[in-house]
Amino acid sequence: MKRFHTLMTMVAIAMLSFSVMSCETDDDDIAYSLQGTWRGTITSGYDRYGGSSYYTKAQIEFYQDPYSYARGSGREVDYDSWGVTDIVDFYYEVRNRVIYMDYSDGSHIAIYNWNLYDYGDTFVGEFHDYYSGEYLASFRFYREYSWDYGWSKIQKEVKPRTVVLTK
């Protein structure tokens, strides 16, 4: 009986270690898929300061930390019809499929109910208050730039080239 109890304990420990490792891998994969530049719209709600949202367009850049894969830094640029309204840097971390963002201006956002579509080139989700979980806004972003394996910026859209032949 003692041998059976020891065997079951070892099986439980092995299963627990695999479940913990799989969550970390998922978070690493999410952070990896976010890196690059995203442009799109914030469709409703409030801005990071709790006021009415006056802008409808935004750009978010995610830079993954190469030493801690489920986190990194970035920058958000907000626009209205007259131009840039706000530029703010942030640090982010992915924990249990939730993207937590700490902005340099003191605001804190959590991204819930998000998804990546079109082979990872469309990013949709909801901004929530980091602490209370209160809904703030929803967004839809499209990938503009992606990072290749050499960490250089490449443009996702390929524009047709005109070739001129000379004799």
Side-chain angles (χ1 to χ4, degrees):
M1 186 67 171
K2 185 175 181 179
R3 179 182 257 174
F4 178 73
H5 184 0
T6 304
L7 179 63
M8 292 308 288
T9 303
M10 292 178 73
V11 168
I13 290 172
M15 289 175 51
L16 180 62
S17 68
F18 285 122
S19 67
V20 170
M21 286 178 13
S22 66
C23 290
E24 291 175 6
T25 303
D26 290 343
D27 292 344
D28 293 346
D29 292 341
I30 293 166
Y32 179 78
S33 64
L34 290 175
Q35 65 185 343
T37 301
W38 300 85
R39 285 184 185 252
T41 57
I42 298 174
T43 57
S44 65
Y46 302 95
D47 63 13
R48 289 187 309 279
Y49 311 107
S52 295
S53 178
Y54 292 106
Y55 52 84
T56 58
K57 296 181 181 178
Q59 174 181 311
I60 294 184
E61 300 170 6
F62 287 96
Y63 309 108
Q64 187 180 15
D65 182 350
Y67 303 107
S68 178
Y69 296 111
R71 64 178 66 161
S73 62
R75 173 178 294 166
E76 180 178 335
V77 180
D78 300 325
Y79 303 90
D80 64 11
S81 57
W82 295 282
V84 175
T85 60
D86 197 15
I87 299 174
V88 64
D89 296 324
F90 61 84
Y91 290 100
Y92 75 94
E93 181 175 2
V94 182
R95 290 189 312 254
N96 299 321
R97 296 191 46 85
V98 177
I99 304 164
Y100 296 97
M101 302 170 73
D102 293 318
Y103 286 86
S104 60
D105 63 3
S107 57
H108 308 283
I109 299 294
I111 299 178
Y112 292 108
N113 304 322
W114 62 269
N115 209 333
L116 292 168
Y117 297 105
D118 300 329
Y119 303 103
D121 286 341
T122 303
F123 180 36
V124 297
E126 298 175 351
F127 292 124
H128 289 256
D129 182 80
Y130 190 97
Y131 299 109
S132 70
E134 177 187 357
Y135 171 82
L136 300 175
S138 60
F139 63 87
R140 176 177 292 274
F141 293 114
Y142 300 95
R143 186 182 304 273
E144 181 177 320
Y145 290 102
S146 179
W147 296 98
D148 67 5
Y149 294 107
W151 290 96
S152 63
K153 223 173 195 180
I154 58 172
Q155 190 167 1
K156 288 292 283 185
E157 270 183 55
V158 177
K159 298 188 180 192
R161 292 186 290 172
T162 304
V163 179
V164 178
L165 299 174
T166 59
K167 292 185 180 182

